[in-house]
Amino acid sequence: MKFYLISDNIDTQMGMRLAGIEGTVAHSVQEVEAALDRAFADESIAAVLMTEKLVKLCGEKVYYLKLNRSRPLIVEIPDRHGNSSVSEAIERYVGEAVGIKL
């Protein structure tokens, strides 16, 4: 089982790629929904990581999938547009995923 990232910026994608997490960059509602459809069709994906901005952009579909589908798990992660400290949050996520402290 693997993780998959749907991000709105290349920096997040590159950081996650360093941790072994593949993904895609999307900017429009159609791109995000297509990426979600691909992720939900892939049986090997256990968790979809989505940046805050994209969850807000496609909130209705994301919450529908969270409530009505058991797999994969959708996890909202902070990004550069969020209110949280991005570097600390990404460092924590990568550390948990890889099992090492950065």
Side-chain angles (χ1 to χ4, degrees):
M1 299 305 238
K2 61 185 178 180
F3 287 86
Y4 187 77
L5 171 72
I6 304 173
S7 175
D8 62 304
N9 66 71
I10 193 81
D11 295 334
T12 302
Q13 182 191 29
M14 294 306 292
M16 290 297 182
R17 187 180 252 171
L18 290 172
I21 299 172
E22 292 299 320
T24 187
V25 175
H27 299 287
S28 69
V29 172
Q30 295 82 10
E31 291 174 335
V32 175
E33 290 180 351
L36 281 169
D37 292 341
R38 284 191 305 273
F40 273 79
D42 186 341
E43 293 290 324
S44 68
I45 295 175
V48 175
L49 307 175
M50 289 185 68
T51 55
E52 291 176 37
K53 182 179 178 183
L54 295 183
V55 170
K56 289 176 186 169
L57 182 67
C58 296
E60 192 171 308
K61 180 164 182 133
V62 169
Y63 295 122
Y64 173 83
L65 291 170
K66 280 184 171 186
L67 292 172
N68 295 295
R69 301 285 297 270
S70 60
R71 191 215 50 82
L73 176 68
I74 298 176
V75 179
E76 184 175 346
I77 62 170
D79 59 10
R80 63 183 176 175
H81 305 290
N83 296 330
S84 59
S85 174
V86 176
S87 62
E88 291 175 12
I90 290 176
E91 195 173 292
R92 187 178 76 243
Y93 284 121
V94 171
E96 290 172 4
V98 177
I100 59 173
K101 183 172 179 164
L102 300 175

